[in-house]
Amino acid sequence: MSRRIRIFRRREQDDLLERSLRTCPACHQDVHVFAAGCRHCGQELELLAG
């Protein structure tokens, strides 16, 4: 059985999806971080500064 030689390290998975969503305080659904309002319940959201 041959063994593969790794030249580059394996990268950890990027959590881009997790970083681009936040929870609506009214209905607790996931909402995009740049959304001005929740598409599920209509709650107005504050834009978060990163």
Side-chain angles (χ1 to χ4, degrees):
M1 184 193 266
S2 66
R3 248 185 126 154
R4 288 179 43 189
I5 298 173
R6 250 188 221 282
I7 298 173
F8 300 103
R9 287 186 305 180
R10 180 176 251 181
R11 292 183 185 183
E12 292 182 26
Q13 276 190 325
D14 187 11
D15 61 346
L16 179 61
L17 183 60
E18 277 184 35
R19 291 184 286 134
S20 63
L21 297 174
R22 63 180 168 153
T23 304
C24 172
C27 68
H28 305 287
Q29 295 291 319
D30 288 336
V31 182
H32 194 272
V33 292
F34 295 122
C38 177
R39 66 184 175 133
H40 302 283
C41 69
Q43 172 77 28
E44 191 172 318
L45 304 170
E46 289 184 36
L47 290 178
L48 302 174

